[in-house]
Each structure stands twice: as structure tokens, then as C-alpha cells.
């Protein structure tokens, strides 16, 4: 158990719908990352938040958005869903303490499997 | 931006033999290189990492080497066992005081250990 939690574990929805995925980082971690992993594919970096602020963006679609709340949990919102959005969505967290040397040692959550029908 | 290439995409070795996975990166400012193992249906887990001020690091049967000049790094698994079968991802990132950098993953190597 990495200490990172994600809900829900599974999500089945229809095209055109909107869903929200939730992530709680490890206690003390300030950085949260979101990744998309399609079937037999690698990890596609979507977006990173650090202490409530967006810090880096990857290949995130405009239909997707995310935020990190004051309690450091994060949500990934996926709208106007398409069949191709079906994937495993991982959240990861890392320490990222300001004022101390840090590296992106990321701890992954169990993932949310999204199926769009 | 950073780009990470990983080879091979699939690798099959006899149990007990060694396995080597290689990655190259493009951004010379990258200074942190982790390797993740992902078993089927599970989350990626960090197995070993190396920072740019180190050329080699070992942890039991696993070792990672880094050549900063050539911008490539490799994962070496010796005395492979069935439980080593998984997908392995390399990654490169720039880490530092702000921890604001993103991490870029390679495309993964599916390692199969033949009994």
C-alpha cells in the first residue's frame, strides 16, 4: 500500500457524460500527478499540482481539467467523454517540500478504471 | 521538452539469466531517473532510482547505470526469477528545490521470464 488513495476503483459511463476522479495523496506530500494509461500503453502524464497550484502540464485534453484543494486532495474532471477515454487513470504523489532538495519520487495510487460505453 | 525512449518493448529471458533495459533522454538538465515495475493490473512501483551525481547504483539483483554524456541509462536484472515478469518503465525528470518539474516516462518494456 503506497498511502495514496483513489476513488472510485471502477467507473462505467456513457459517451458525452462527465465524471470526477478523486485522489488523496500520502500524508505530507504536496505534489499530485495525474496519468492516463490506455490498454497495453505507457503512462501518459496529464498534469501536476503542487500545494494547490498547477505546476506542469502534459498531454491533457481541453475536455479534461483538474484541481488540488486546500487539504491537498485532487480531482480530475473528464467531460464530453468519448470511447477513447476508456483507460486506467493513476494519481501519484511526491513530497516536494519547498525549501528542501527534492526529487520526483512518486508513489502511485491503485488507479481508477474508466470504461466509456 | 523532455523525451524518453525505451528499448526493447518486449524482452524474454530464461530464468536465471540477466535482463537489460535501456533508455535515452533528451533534456541534459534531467537529474533524476527512476525505474518503475508494473505487474498486471497493479500500480507502478518504484524499484530503483539514480540521481545525476551517481554513475551506478545497486540493490540486490537490480542495478542501474547512468551515462550523462551519452544521455542514457540502463536497468540490469541479474539471476532473473519468475516474479520479475512485469512491465518496466524508465523515467527522467528534473528535480530540485521547487519540485515543480514533470516526469516523463518511457514507453515500457514487457519482460517475460521463461521457466
Amino acid at each position: 500500500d503506497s498511502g495514496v488513495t483513489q476513488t472510485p476503483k471502477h467507473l462505467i459511463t456513457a459517451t458525452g457524460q462527465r465524471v470526477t476522479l478523486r485522489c488523496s495523496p500520502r500524508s505530507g506530500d504536496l505534489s499530485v500527478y495525474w496519468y492516463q494509461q490506455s490498454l497495453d500503453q505507457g503512462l501518459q502524464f496529464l498534469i501536476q499540482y503542487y500545494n494547490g497550484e498547477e505546476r506542469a502540464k502534459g498531454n491533457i485534453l481541453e475536455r479534461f481539467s483538474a484541481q488540488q484543494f486546500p487539504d491537498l486532495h485532487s480531482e480530475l474532471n473528464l467531460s464530453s467523454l468519448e470511447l477513447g477515454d476508456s483507460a486506467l487513470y493513476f494519481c501519484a504523489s511526491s513530497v516536494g517540500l519547498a525549501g528542501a532538495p527534492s526529487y520526483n519520487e512518486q508513489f502511485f495510487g491503485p488507479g481508477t478504471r474508466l470504461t466509456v460505453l | 521538452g523532455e523525451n524518453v525512449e525505451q528499448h526493447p518493448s518486449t524482452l524474454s529471458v530464461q530464468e536465471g539469466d540477466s535482463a537489460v533495459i535501456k533508455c535515452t533522454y533528451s533534456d541534459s538538465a534531467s537529474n533524476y531517473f527512476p525505474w518503475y515495475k508494473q505487474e498486471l493490473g497493479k500500480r507502478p512501483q518504484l524499484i530503483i532510482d539514480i540521481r545525476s551525481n551517481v554513475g551506478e547504483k545497486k540493490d540486490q539483483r537490480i542495478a542501474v547505470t547512468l551515462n550523462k554524456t551519452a544521455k542514457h541509462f540502463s536497468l540490469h536484472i541479474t539471476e532473473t526469477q519468475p516474479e520479475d515478469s512485469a512491465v518496466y518503465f524508465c523515467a527522467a525528470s528534473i528535480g530540485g528545490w521547487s519540485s515543480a518539474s514533470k516526469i516523463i516516462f518511457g514507453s515500457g518494456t514487457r519482460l517475460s521470464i521463461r521457466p
Side-chain angles (χ1 to χ4, degrees):
Chain A
D1 186 3
S2 66
V4 179
T5 61
Q6 288 186 251
T7 57
K9 191 172 183 179
H10 300 280
L11 195 50
I12 301 175
T13 188
T15 54
Q17 295 299 304
R18 172 190 170 94
V19 297
T20 297
L21 312 183
R22 182 188 170 102
C23 168
S24 292
R26 294 188 317 156
S27 177
D29 283 1
L30 297 179
S31 274
V32 170
Y33 307 78
W34 286 98
Y35 294 90
Q36 179 191 59
Q37 187 175 42
S38 302
L39 188 64
D40 287 337
Q41 296 294 311
L43 290 159
Q44 296 296 320
F45 168 71
L46 296 178
I47 198 165
Q48 178 204 1
Y49 280 82
Y50 173 72
N51 203 21
E53 294 185 2
E54 180 187 307
R55 297 305 289 267
K57 254 186 177 179
N59 299 321
I60 188 167
L61 300 173
E62 286 191 9
R63 299 183 286 109
F64 297 180
S65 65
Q67 55 184 327
Q68 187 180 27
F69 295 86
D71 66 354
L72 300 177
H73 90 271
S74 179
E75 293 181 355
L76 179 67
N77 301 297
L78 315 176
S79 61
S80 303
L81 285 169
E82 302 175 358
L83 296 177
D85 297 328
S86 295
L88 193 54
Y89 290 85
F90 284 106
C91 161
S93 73
S94 66
V95 177
L97 291 173
S102 60
Y103 296 86
N104 288 325
E105 302 169 28
Q106 299 187 14
F107 296 86
F108 283 76
T112 292
R113 182 168 296 283
L114 173 67
T115 302
V116 183
L117 301 176
Chain B
E2 175 69 281
N3 183 49
V4 177
E5 293 191 358
Q6 182 172 349
H7 301 281
S9 57
T10 60
L11 180 61
S12 177
V13 302
Q14 193 74 33
E15 182 178 351
D17 288 349
S18 296
V20 180
I21 303 171
K22 299 181 179 181
C23 289
T24 59
Y25 60 99
S26 60
D27 192 336
S28 57
S30 294
N31 59 4
Y32 175 63
F33 307 91
W35 285 87
Y36 285 83
K37 175 183 180 182
Q38 187 178 26
E39 297 176 0
L40 190 61
K42 297 190 176 180
R43 75 189 79 188
Q45 289 190 297
L46 181 72
I47 55 172
I48 195 167
D49 57 14
I50 192 168
R51 294 173 174 77
S52 58
N53 58 345
V54 176
E56 183 176 2
K57 183 177 179 180
K58 286 185 179 179
D59 183 4
Q60 299 182 349
R61 295 186 298 108
I62 295 173
V64 58
T65 58
L66 171 65
N67 183 327
K68 287 173 57 180
T69 303
K71 291 191 282 189
H72 68 69
F73 55 113
S74 301
L75 177 72
H76 304 253
I77 306 174
T78 59
E79 300 172 17
T80 53
Q81 300 169 4
E83 54 265 36
D84 295 330
S85 294
V87 178
Y88 292 80
F89 293 98
C90 65
S93 76
I94 302 170
W97 292 88
S98 70
S99 189
S101 61
K102 59 184 178 183
I103 185 168
I104 303 299
F105 283 81
S107 54
T109 296
R110 185 176 299 278
L111 175 63
S112 300
I113 306 302
R114 303 191 303 271

